[in-house]
């Protein structure tokens, strides 16, 4: 391992500008003559717009749906049979379907002036009964979000399993109901867009806070009636994404439309209230799951009913049915199960659309499966970590194709459980639990495991029916005339540190110092096409592509270097920024000089494509990588207040080859902290009329430093047999088990009451209600 | 999320502030640290016509001991109290309470007078100062007056201030050296507004015992039966607190009944243990 | 519009502002000092934290008019500050930032912690950070960075 290549904890190149306060986010960019937008948003969850009255004298600065000539509603189709796409209009057309939906756009010299105008627009609504709860909305007779459908079910799927065969052998049948509540994603930077028309380029230039610039370009062109060459999307520094910044936003479309119509740059910067009430939300799953287990706790069969509350509209491009598809495919987790049957429903309601959030469906899946597993362990009277281990696919069985047809590539899943159990020291936790705390709090121990399919390839996305199937990921590598390296990738780095890690991949292959590498990303005008950054794919796909591009470059540099050093190209190696032959070496700048400035010195057999290569890459097979992990936590629960403190938290994870262990650890910590948010704090509740009840951080609680434990982390390294350098995707992983780990720990603490909390967030209110209910039953 | 337009004036002294606040018939607000008013204006939940800045008035920054009270200027910041930059007459209670308000960056600008005038039920000072038996010094068009805090806060966000009145100081009685206090706040995270607050001051030498429940949906509640129990020297368990609240008709939802009783019980235990 | 005079990062500034303009918007839009970030505009997240007259405060709920005569230091104004230099180095060494959005406010708060509370332990550091939200790091690197600077300053 080199000091700067794969495996080194290289300090991040991007840190300097952020630490100096010189990052460059969309809101930091000023355009001459720009205007600001603010939106009139629906105050009702479901209603018909009777009239919109624009303020006197400001009619030319206020725009409703009828004014948006040339803007098509956003449609995100799916090839899955029976799917009903719910078009998402940029501005509400006729009906409003959630509180916060954009009804009219107002233009001002400043955001404050635009808001002044928005306050003056009068809209009359005819209120309709809303569909708020997904189970009620699924039932016949519910108010219809989209009348033409006849029901509220966007997609229903059914996979049959041979339950009869296993049920007969099962000593225990355990059924539980779980609910993961709706929440917001809350990147610290909200969504932001600055659109302007550039006449010279005949191009709409859109600075927007996105994870997927090339997909946004495709969507904007489609819905604005432009050719894609006429749209350039630039994502500058982006302050976190977590899934939120993967869809075309109504406000983004309106800003683009106004910039085209008026010729003036148009800016819309989301504020926190808009994020909490009107942006796409996430999670909100309901499960009824049943395990058929033998007397040892080995799960023979698993049955599930999964309902996902998808909100009112389908977001472009990933649709609102991806969550349910992922849930159905991932419920069996890392376990070897003989029989599996699942039904899923994607239900529309009068709430904001749902977009996949870090972990995509799997935090909900793990919340159901991992907590069901602990219920089984309690039923058979065994330690939960032991029950996990006997159910897991052992290392000797790898590669292993599970009941949901996922092929785990490698790894020692039970080994991760054993290591986590050792680190948390199960015996001493049990001893402490039995001893009791001086302050009367109850100790609870929880485990959670998962396998994370990541960097899903072409065949996987094609099977989901989405229209943006990723193929060969491309990267460009270019040696500059002075011997530096420019990398061009279509993914976007918004916290993952790819300006450093991709440079490390190049350093590994090319022997160049990462300090001499520039990573150019997030700009459709400068980078090869990519579906972008999501699904823990970028270091696998873009990292692999960078590696392949650099390998091509090495071959070409060897040809030139061999000529200059008077040796055979295959005698050349590259290291420390130099091409080295048996009898001498040259800096990369000499290669650059010859190609660019003194081509008369080039050898006859030089590759005419020069010292720049764009290379496509995808792993084969392309079913994605399979990272895995086990988490364990000890909590203290105050039975009088319902307060939960996380005392200890262990992560044992295996994501194959780590390009930068420091960055990997950072992703693990951050994901686990978000999981603690889901577990204990975060919720976007709605009342019966569909009004959102958390519109500020006074009501929506993000975990802060006091709420998050000092995680203890151990890495295992099983390189992928299928990917360049053995890298596996891992960015989302640690959000996946955390709600279940905390939930299992809480239910372990509540064992003495026979109480369980099976709904997130596991709030004091819910804990106290569960204790009170158990005492009511006992009495 | 930008405020609606407002006019702004900076008062030169208290009399000028009173004059400015009364100078128009509109909705006029004094601005201290602005740590409560600012968010409400940014959210356009408050849209004053005129904002009169009083934060820098010397008269509101004075701290003086007089006839058994410490008069804490309304413009004194929470962090000044937290850091012990003003005399401590409450055996450490005010310092303790101040350090739990919001976050340091808010405490550096937010003021005790502003908090009392804003009267958010979930804030700390309304409950803590009521337990201490504090009084509010007010100046207005009709001159200065002093109102016991118990008569000042009428309901959530509702106080006995006329439109052109401003709070000039909080008069906090000096506790006897042997006096004890307890303060127990239940909130989801440090710095967040409370779900419940129990505050107890027990000063037998002055024949003063007060038990107050805060973070209800109204003004802080005196729980006289529990004050009697504290005087009697008995401990108060959760069920005792529940019974006392129920007996005086203070009934909440199941969660509220539980945590309010816990906050009171723990505040009392803390006071008796100190 | 109201005329104000103040110093920003040591330099005198005189400007005419609308009373409703927050200090954050004033330094960002008026002075082009965009290192001060807006994360909630209601005083909770801490991304906008700047120093006013030597103390960290929220610039999103502080109006520029009320800073007439004040000395304001934004993240761009600490380049010659020894404590900030140590913190910046410690933040990068401990991976105390990812997307960078909370970082300026986090650093202003961190600098206050290491100067005001030289004996702070991990629990206290975490408590003092309660008014600065980070969505990326899980606070691990941030807490470690601050503890390492405290340690260094204790010698």
């Amino acid at each position: 391992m080199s000091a700067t290549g794969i495996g080194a904890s290289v300090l991040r190149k991007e840190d300097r500008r952020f630490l100096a306060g010189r990052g460059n986010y969309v809101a930091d960019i000023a355009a001459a003559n720009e205007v600001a937008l603010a939106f009139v948003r629906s105050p009702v969850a479901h209603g018909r717009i009777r009239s919109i009255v624009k303020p006197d004298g400001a009619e030319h600065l206020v725009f409703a749906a009828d004014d948006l000539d040339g803007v098509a509603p956003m449609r995100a189709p799916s090839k899955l049979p029976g799917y009903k796409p719910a078009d998402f209009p940029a501005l509400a057309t006729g009906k409003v379907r959630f509180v916060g939906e954009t009804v009219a756009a107002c233009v001002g010299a400043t955001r404050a002036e635009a808001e002044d105008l928005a306050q003056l627009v009068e809209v009359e609504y005819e209120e309709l009964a809303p569909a708020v709860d997904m189970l009620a909305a699924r039932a016949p007779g519910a108010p219809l979000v989209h009348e033409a459908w006849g029901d509220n079910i966007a997609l229903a799927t059914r996979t049959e399993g041979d339950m009869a065969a296993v049920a007969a052998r099962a000593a225990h049948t355990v059924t539980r109901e779980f609910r993961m509540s709706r929440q917001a994603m809350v990147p610290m930077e909200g969504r932001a867009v600055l659109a302007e028309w550039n006449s010279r380029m005949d191009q709409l230039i859109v600075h927007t806070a996105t994870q997927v610039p090339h997909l946004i370009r495709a969507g904007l062109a489609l819905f604005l009636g432009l050719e894609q060459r006429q749209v350039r999307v630039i994502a500058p520094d982006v302050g976190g994404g977590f899934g939120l910044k993967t869809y075309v936003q109504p406000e983004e479309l309106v800003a683009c439309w106004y910039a085209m119509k008026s010729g003036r740059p148009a800016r819309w910067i989301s504020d926190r209230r808009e994020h909490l009430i009107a942006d796409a939300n996430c999670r909100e799953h309901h499960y009824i799951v049943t395990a058929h287990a033998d007397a040892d706790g080995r799960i023979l069969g698993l049955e599930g009913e999964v309902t996902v509350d998808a909100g009112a509209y389908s977001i472009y491009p990933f649709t609102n049915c991806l969550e349910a598809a992922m849930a159905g495919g991932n419920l069996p987790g890392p376990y070897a199960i003989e029989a599996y049957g699942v039904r899923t429903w994607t239900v529309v309601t009068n709430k904001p659309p749902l977009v996949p959030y870090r972990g995509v469906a799997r935090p909900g899946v793990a919340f159901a499966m991992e907590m069901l597993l602990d219920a089984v362990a309690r039923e058979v009277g065994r330690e939960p970590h032991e029950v996990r281990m006997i159910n897991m696919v052992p290392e000797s069985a790898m590669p292993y194709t599970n009941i949901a047809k996922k092929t785990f590539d490698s790894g020692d899943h039970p080994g991760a459980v054993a290591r986590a159990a050792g680190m948390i020291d199960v015996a001493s936790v049990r001893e402490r639990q039995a001893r009791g705390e001086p302050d009367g709090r109850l100790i609870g121990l929880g485990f959670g495991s998962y396998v994370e399919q990541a960097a899903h390839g072409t065949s996987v996305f094609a099977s989901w029916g989405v229209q943006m199937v990723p193929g060969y990921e491309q990267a460009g590598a270019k040696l500059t005339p002075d011997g530096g390296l420019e990398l061009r990738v279509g993914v976007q780095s918004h916290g993952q540190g790819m300006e450093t890690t991709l440079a490390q991949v190049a350093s590994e292959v090319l022997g160049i110092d990462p300090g001499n590498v520039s990573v150019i990303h997030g700009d459709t005008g400068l980078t090869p096409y990519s579906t972008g950054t999501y699904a823990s794919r970028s270091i696998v796909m873009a990292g692999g592509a960078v590696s392949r591009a650099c390998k091509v470059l090495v071959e070409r540099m060897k040809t030139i270097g061999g000529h200059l050093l008077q040796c055979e190209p295959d005698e050349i190696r590259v290291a420390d920024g130099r091409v080295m032959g048996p009898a001498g070496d040259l800096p990369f700048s000499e290669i650059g000089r010859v190609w660019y400035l003194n081509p008369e010195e080039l050898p006859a057999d030089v590759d005419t494509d020069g010292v720049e290569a764009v290379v496509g890459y995808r792993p084969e097979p392309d079913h994605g990588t399979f990272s895995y992990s086990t988490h364990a936590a000890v909590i203290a629960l105050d039975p009088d207040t319902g307060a939960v403190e996380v005392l200890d938290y262990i992560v044992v994870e295996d994501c194959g080859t780590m390009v930068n262990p420091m960055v990997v650890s950072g992703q693990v910590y951050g994901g686990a902290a978000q999981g603690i948010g889901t577990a204990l704090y975060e919720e976007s509740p709605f009342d019966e009329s569909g009004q959102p009840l958390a519109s500020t951080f006074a009501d929506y609680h993000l975990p802060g430093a006091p709420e998050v434990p000092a995680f203890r982390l151990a890495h295992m390294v099983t390189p992928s047999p299928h990917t360049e350098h053995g890298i596996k995707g891992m960015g989302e992983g640690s959000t996946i088990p955390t709600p279940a780990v905390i939930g299992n720990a809480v239910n372990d603490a509540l064992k003495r009451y026979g109480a369980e909390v099976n709904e997130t967030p596991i709030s004091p209110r819910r804990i106290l209600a569960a204790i009170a209910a158990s005492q009511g039953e006992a009495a | 999320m930008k405020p609606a337009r407002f006019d702004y004036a900076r008062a030169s002294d208290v009399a000028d502030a009173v004059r400015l606040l009364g100078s128009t018939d509109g909705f006029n607000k004094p601005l201290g640290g602005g740590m409560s008013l600012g968010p409400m204006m940014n959210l356009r939940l408050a849209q004053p016509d005129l904002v009169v800045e009083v934060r820098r008035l010397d008269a509101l920054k004075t701290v003086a001991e007089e006839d058994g009270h410490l008069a804490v200027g309304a413009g004194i910041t929470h962090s000044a109290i937290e850091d012990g930059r003003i005399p401590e007459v409450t055996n450490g209670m005010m310092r303790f309470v101040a350090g739990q308000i919001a976050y340091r960056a808010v405490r550096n600008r937010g003021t005790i007078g502003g908090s009392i005038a804003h009267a958010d039920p979930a804030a700390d000072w309304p409950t803590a100062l009521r337990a201490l038996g504090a009084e509010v010094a007010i100046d207005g068009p009709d001159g200065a007056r002093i109102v016991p805090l118990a008569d000042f806060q009428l309901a959530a966000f509702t106080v006995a201030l006329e439109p052109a009145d401003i709070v000039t100081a909080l008069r906090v009685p000096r506790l006897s050296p042997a006096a004890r206090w307890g303060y127990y706040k239940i909130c989801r995270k440090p710095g967040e507004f409370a779900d419940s607050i129990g505050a107890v001051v027990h000063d037998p030498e002055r024949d003063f015992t007060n038990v107050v429940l805060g973070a209800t949906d109204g003004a802080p509640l005196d729980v006289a039966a529990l004050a009697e129990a504290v005087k009697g020297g008995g401990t108060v368990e959760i069920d005792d607190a529940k019974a006392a609240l129920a007996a005086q008709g203070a009934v909440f939802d199941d969660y509220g009944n539980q945590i309010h009783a816990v906050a009171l019980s723990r505040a009392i235990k803390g006071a008796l243990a100190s | 519009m109201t005329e104000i005079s103040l110093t920003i990062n040591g330099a005198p500034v005189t400007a005419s502002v609308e009373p409703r303009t927050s200090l954050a918007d004033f330094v960002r839009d008026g002075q082009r000092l965009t290192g001060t970030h807006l994360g909630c505009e209601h005083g909770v997240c801490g991304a906008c934290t700047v120093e006013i007259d030597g103390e960290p405060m929220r610039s999103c709920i502080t109006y520029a008019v009320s800073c007439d005569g004040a000395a304001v230091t934004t993240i761009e104004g600490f380049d010659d500050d020894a404590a900030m230099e140590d913190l910046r180095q410690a933040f990068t060494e401990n991976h105390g930032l990812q997307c960078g959005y909370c970082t300026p406010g986090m650093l202003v708060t961190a600098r206050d912690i290491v100067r005001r509370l030289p004996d702070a332990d991990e629990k206290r550091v975490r408590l003092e950070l309660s008014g600065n939200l980070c969505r990326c790091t899980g606070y691990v690197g941030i807490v470690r960075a601050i503890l390492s600077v405290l340690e260094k300053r204790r010698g």
Side-chain angles (χ1 to χ4, degrees), chain A residues 638 641, chain B residues 96 100 181-187 194 196-200 259 262-268:
Chain A
D638 183 332
T641 64
Chain B
F96 179 83
Q100 295 189 30
W181 56 268
Y183 189 79
Y184 197 88
K185 178 157 83 165
I186 295 174
C187 55
S196 183
I197 301 173
V200 181
I259 61 163
V262 172
L264 287 167
S265 167
R266 291 187 181 178
I268 291 167

Side-chain angles (χ1 to χ4, degrees), chain A residues 207-231:
Chain A
H207 285 87
T208 189
T210 184
Q211 307 168 223
V212 293
H214 292 271
L215 299 190
I216 299 299
R217 163 159 110 154
L220 291 177
L222 181 63
F223 304 127
L224 292 166
L226 296 170
E227 296 176 42
Q228 290 201 24
R229 65 175 179 83
Q230 291 177 294
V231 182

Side-chain angles (χ1 to χ4, degrees), chain C residues 65-79:
Chain C
V65 282
S66 72
C67 297
D68 185 32
V72 173
T73 310
T74 67
I75 188 64
E76 293 93 342
F78 290 104
D79 286 356

Side-chain angles (χ1 to χ4, degrees), chain A residues 111-113 115-117 119 271-274 439 638-641 680-681 695-699 701-704 706-707 761-765 768, chain B residues 1-5 39-45 47 103 184 186-193 195 238 253-256 258-259 262-263 266 269:
Chain A
R111 169 71 181 227
E113 287 179 22
E115 287 187 28
D116 293 345
L117 211 46
Q119 204 174 327
D271 65 34
R272 189 55 63 188
R273 182 166 51 187
E274 287 179 300
D439 61 6
D638 183 332
D640 292 335
T641 64
L680 295 173
Y681 298 101
S695 60
T696 71
F697 281 152
D699 305 307
H701 298 297
L702 283 195
E707 289 74 51
I762 304 163
S763 61
R765 194 179 280 275
L768 292 179
Chain B
M1 194 189 287
K2 311 293 179 190
R5 279 202 180 85
M40 294 186 70
M41 284 165 55
N42 282 1
L43 290 157
R44 297 198 179 206
L45 298 173
Q47 301 195 12
Y103 321 108
Y184 197 88
I186 295 174
C187 55
R188 295 301 310 278
K189 305 191 329 174
E192 291 304 308
F193 284 108
D195 286 348
I238 296 168
D253 64 8
D254 289 347
Y255 177 68
Q258 171 71 15
I259 61 163
V262 172
R266 291 187 181 178
K269 284 181 180 168

Side-chain angles (χ1 to χ4, degrees), chain A residues 366-629:
Chain A
F367 192 67
M369 184 64 202
E370 294 298 302
M371 290 177 67
L372 179 67
L373 202 77
D374 275 36
V376 169
R378 286 195 289 276
E379 182 98 3
V380 301
R382 295 188 69 174
E383 281 290 355
H385 72 279
E386 293 172 7
V387 172
R388 277 185 176 71
M389 290 172 72
I390 61 167
N391 278 293
M392 277 177 169
V393 176
E395 188 171 20
S396 57
M398 296 291 176
Y400 177 88
T401 300
N402 82 347
I403 189 77
K405 300 187 180 64
K406 295 189 184 300
T407 303
F408 305 162
D409 48 31
S410 58
D412 179 7
H413 295 212
V417 182
R419 191 148 168 202
M423 285 174 73
I424 203 110
D425 193 352
V426 172
S428 77
V429 174
R430 292 299 181 210
E431 206 177 298
R432 177 177 178 179
Q433 190 173 37
R435 202 166 53 234
E437 296 295 289
D439 61 6
R441 291 195 296 175
L442 308 173
I443 296 295
L445 170 64
F447 283 84
S449 304
Y450 67 91
V451 58
E452 180 197 6
Q453 186 181 19
H456 314 68
T458 309
S459 58
V460 181
F461 267 89
S463 75
W464 287 338
V466 301
Q467 54 185 340
M468 294 290 184
V469 176
Y472 291 94
E473 187 79 17
Q474 290 176 312
K478 174 184 182 177
L479 191 74
T480 59
D482 58 354
L485 184 71
E486 288 177 349
L487 299 175
R488 286 178 170 74
V489 288
V491 294
Q492 212 282 341
S493 180
H494 42 280
Q496 297 90 342
M498 281 191 271
E499 293 174 25
T500 304
T501 53
L502 293 177
Q504 284 181 255
V505 172
S507 176
E508 179 76 20
V509 176
L510 210 49
I512 190 168
D513 189 294
N516 300 120
V517 181
S518 289
V519 176
I520 296 156
H521 63 96
D523 184 337
T524 60
L526 298 178
T527 64
Y529 176 82
S530 166
T531 54
T533 297
Y534 58 91
S536 301
R537 67 187 301 277
S538 290
I539 197 63
V540 177
M541 302 302 296
V546 162
S547 177
R548 292 284 173 89
C550 288
K551 283 176 178 171
V552 168
L553 218 52
V554 167
E555 291 311 307
R556 296 185 190 166
M557 289 165 68
K558 281 181 175 177
T559 307
I560 299 172
H563 177 72
L564 297 177
L565 291 168
Q566 300 294 300
C567 64
E568 291 303 314
D570 56 16
E571 292 177 292
I572 297 272
R573 63 188 183 90
V574 291
D576 301 329
R578 304 182 79 83
V579 286
M580 303 184 173
D585 60 77
L586 294 169
F588 287 174
S589 56
E590 271 302 285
I591 307 290
R593 178 190 66 78
V594 171
W595 172 262
Y596 291 104
L597 308 177
N598 298 102
E600 69 277 16
E601 297 175 29
L602 287 172
D605 62 346
V606 70
D607 191 315
T608 54
D609 287 339
V611 287
E612 177 169 11
V614 177
V615 175
Y617 163 76
R618 82 176 185 203
E620 293 299 343
D622 72 343
H623 52 48
T625 62
F626 288 84
S627 296
Y628 62 94
S629 173

Side-chain angles (χ1 to χ4, degrees), chain C residues 79-114:
Chain C
D79 286 356
D80 299 322
D81 182 85
M84 191 60 91
E85 188 180 335
D86 287 348
L87 283 162
R88 283 172 168 151
Q89 185 63 27
F91 265 61
T92 198
E93 287 174 0
N94 290 282
H95 196 22
L97 66 156
Q98 289 181 23
C99 81
Y101 200 80
C102 75
T103 308
M106 199 65 82
L107 284 170
V108 171
T109 295
R111 180 173 171 277
D112 178 57
I113 293 170
V114 301

